[in-house]
Amino acid sequence: MKKLLIVVDYQIDFVTGSLGFAGAKTLETPILSKIKAYEAAGHDIIYTFDTHYDDYLETREGRGLPIAHCIKETEGHALHGKVFDQYKKAYDNQEEVFKDTFGSADLFNMLMARPQYDVIELVGVVSYICVLSNAVLAKTAQPEAEIVVDSSCTAGPDPNLHDTCLTLMRDALHIKVI
């Protein structure tokens, strides 16, 4: 079975930085376990990095969310904690996508160019923004893959939006929420 894990934006600024929230901190151990399991099984892993620049506050997103975050080459742009340590340990075998918006066109193009996966699983933050956006892109790029979101490995600062998003993914978008 060919599987892919997409670790979405588990970066310092979303965990303990400028947009950090308590629920993100609790994800470190389950995400790390998931990464190690995929590595041990020889499955593919892609890390996405929310990536902005010094002009962030002048962009459309910056005007809508005027909190500078994930600015390239700052501490907040890096992956968080033990997830970062695991990423560094296997760096030569890791794939990464730097994206300046919620869903990643580069991720979509990568998935379009690859042979069909049986399962594409997404973990990370924020569930109802970047995880959702990239799950829809994965489903579009690889319509025969089973798209999975592990609810124990994703969160958002608004618990109501998080729960609504998981329901929407499961009931309307045919994404398997475990």
Side-chain angles (χ1 to χ4, degrees), residues 98-119:
F98 298 94
K99 58 187 193 59
D100 62 359
T101 189
F102 304 143
S104 172
D106 288 340
L107 176 63
F108 175 82
N109 290 332
M110 287 171 75
L111 294 174
M112 287 291 295
R114 291 181 182 207
Q116 182 70 42
Y117 284 100
D118 298 302
V119 175

Side-chain angles (χ1 to χ4, degrees), residues 146-151 169-170 173-178:
E146 180 177 42
I147 308 300
V148 176
V149 172
D150 187 336
S151 62
M169 285 193 280
R170 182 189 66 236
L173 299 175
H174 308 277
I175 293 169
K176 183 177 182 178
V177 177
I178 56 173

Side-chain angles (χ1 to χ4, degrees), residues 21-143:
F21 61 100
K25 294 175 190 166
T26 67
L27 301 177
E28 183 176 15
T29 298
I31 289 175
L32 182 61
S33 294
K34 186 83 62 176
I35 291 166
K36 288 180 177 181
Y38 269 72
E39 287 176 349
H43 296 304
D44 296 340
I45 301 173
I46 296 174
Y47 294 83
T48 71
F49 290 80
D50 194 41
T51 303
H52 301 292
Y53 303 91
D54 291 333
D55 68 344
Y56 171 76
L57 295 175
E58 299 163 23
T59 67
R60 179 170 300 279
E61 181 182 328
R63 289 188 300 274
L65 176 65
I67 300 170
H69 64 281
C70 299
I71 305 299
K72 186 143 174 101
E73 298 180 7
T74 66
E75 180 183 346
H77 186 256
L79 293 171
H80 174 75
K82 293 178 182 170
V83 170
F84 177 68
D85 295 340
Q86 189 67 27
Y87 165 83
K88 281 193 329 187
K89 196 182 303 184
Y91 182 76
D92 291 338
N93 297 322
Q94 303 303 342
E95 292 185 271
E96 53 197 21
V97 172
F98 298 94
K99 58 187 193 59
D100 62 359
T101 189
F102 304 143
S104 172
D106 288 340
L107 176 63
F108 175 82
N109 290 332
M110 287 171 75
L111 294 174
M112 287 291 295
R114 291 181 182 207
Q116 182 70 42
Y117 284 100
D118 298 302
V119 175
I120 299 173
E121 185 171 0
L122 294 95
V123 300
V125 293
V126 165
S127 57
Y128 49 85
I129 302 174
C130 293
V131 174
L132 172 63
S133 298
N134 288 291
V136 170
L137 289 174
K139 187 164 189 57
T140 304
Q142 297 230 350

Side-chain angles (χ1 to χ4, degrees), residues 10-32:
Y10 198 66
Q11 294 163 266
I12 290 170
D13 271 349
F14 289 118
V15 181
T16 58
S18 59
L19 290 175
F21 61 100
K25 294 175 190 166
T26 67
L27 301 177
E28 183 176 15
T29 298
I31 289 175
L32 182 61

